[in-house]
Amino acid sequence: MITNTFTGQCQCGHVHYSVQGEAATLFVCHCTECQRQSVSAFGMALWIKHPSVQLHTGAVQEWVRVTPSGRQMACRFCPVCGTRLFHQLLGQTEFMSIKPGTLSETSTLQPVAHVWTASKQGWVEIPPQALQYEGNPPAMGVLLEAWQQAHPR
Ligand SMILES: [Zn+2]
Ligand SMILES: [Zn+2]
């Protein structure tokens, strides 16, 4: 079950966090930025609506990158081990994203969509029930709706 409190930590344990809010969507991004950031095949984002972040230990640092659509995204990470923890578009307070690999509980997470499949690594097979987009989805609302359909309240 997706609960309303999401707890997790960075790799070294300097940062322990909990985020309260409502899971809004979970998707996989195959863009080259996410591949580089995750030093792996893809990135994942768990969007939380109306997030309230608590750091139980440690502190986070941030750097800001400019997205392809020209918006600024704050990327927050552990200053000791570098694990990326949270992303949030500047000026966007309704949503933030948790890098879900840092969560304590990941067994119930199933992405509803895969984006930027144009740069997907060739061996990655996308489950047939997941939405797919070659680039950004036409609107994030599509991904929010797919999540709600998969997790009816
Ligand atoms: Zn750390
Ligand atoms: Zn990406």
Side-chain angles (χ1 to χ4, degrees):
M1 280 301 291
I2 302 295
T3 66
N4 289 323
T5 302
F6 303 86
T7 60
Q9 65 168 85
C10 66
Q11 188 177 9
C12 79
H14 174 70
V15 178
H16 283 77
Y17 69 81
S18 60
V19 177
Q20 291 203 316
E22 183 188 336
T25 193
L26 172 65
F27 60 94
V28 173
C29 183
H30 298 273
C31 82
T32 53
E33 292 274 348
C34 285
Q35 292 187 23
R36 187 163 287 122
Q37 185 274 309
S38 67
V39 292
S40 183
F42 49 76
M44 289 172 69
L46 175 63
W47 275 37
I48 305 294
K49 192 173 185 180
H50 303 309
S52 164
V53 179
Q54 231 194 325
L55 298 183
H56 302 289
T57 65
V60 295
Q61 271 183 20
E62 91 174 27
W63 74 287
V64 175
R65 84 172 182 95
V66 178
T67 69
S69 52
R71 303 184 72 178
Q72 291 189 309
M73 186 157 77
C75 306
R76 303 190 175 117
F77 58 94
C78 170
V80 178
C81 70
T83 302
R84 193 68 65 80
L85 299 162
F86 311 124
H87 284 172
Q88 189 163 30
L89 286 168
L90 292 183
Q92 164 68 281
T93 52
E94 188 181 10
F95 294 103
M96 66 173 274
S97 107
I98 299 177
K99 302 307 282 178
T102 63
L103 290 167
S104 321
E105 171 60 56
T106 57
S107 64
T108 60
L109 295 178
Q110 188 154 346
V112 292
H114 288 243
V115 304
W116 289 97
T117 59
S119 48
K120 176 177 84 63
Q121 292 190 12
W123 56 270
V124 177
E125 289 190 29
I126 298 176
Q129 70 272 20
L131 297 172
Q132 294 188 36
Y133 301 96
E134 285 193 358
N136 275 326
M140 282 306 291
V142 182
L143 272 52
L144 305 183
E145 278 166 30
W147 180 262
Q148 281 192 0
Q149 278 175 19
H151 304 87
R153 269 168 285 166

